[in-house]
Amino acid sequence: MSRVVSRGLSAASGMLGGALAGAIFKQVWKLASGKEEAPQATSEEYGWREVLVAAAVQGAIFGMVKAAIDRSAAQSIHRATGK
């Protein structure tokens, strides 16, 4: 039963983390570029450099948020179960 609960919490934290990372990226991009929306890879109005920089920043933010959530969950589980 605890495995089912753990997977459910993992899925929920993943969705929450994705939404949080998306919101953080949007604000960072707005501050860095002065534009509301980040460039899409398929958009012809942006060059390679801007598209790749946006992707790198987005990936770094998503990775950081995921690591923070995973680490927090692991510590919480350890405190609750002692394992």
Side-chain angles (χ1 to χ4, degrees):
M1 183 63 173
S2 64
R3 180 170 272 180
V4 173
V5 172
S6 176
R7 286 185 187 214
L9 289 175
S10 178
S13 69
M15 288 188 284
L16 178 63
L20 178 62
I24 292 170
F25 171 69
K26 188 171 184 167
Q27 293 302 313
V28 168
W29 186 258
K30 209 184 297 186
L31 287 171
S33 71
K35 297 178 182 176
E36 286 290 318
E37 297 293 323
Q40 298 295 315
T42 56
S43 177
E44 292 193 21
E45 68 182 89
Y46 300 101
W48 278 90
R49 181 178 180 201
E50 195 167 21
V51 168
L52 295 179
V53 167
V57 171
Q58 186 176 32
I61 290 171
F62 272 82
M64 184 181 69
V65 169
K66 182 179 179 345
I69 288 173
D70 289 350
R71 181 67 180 166
S72 176
Q75 286 182 331
S76 296
I77 290 168
H78 178 71
R79 274 189 236 118
T81 64
K83 293 182 181 182

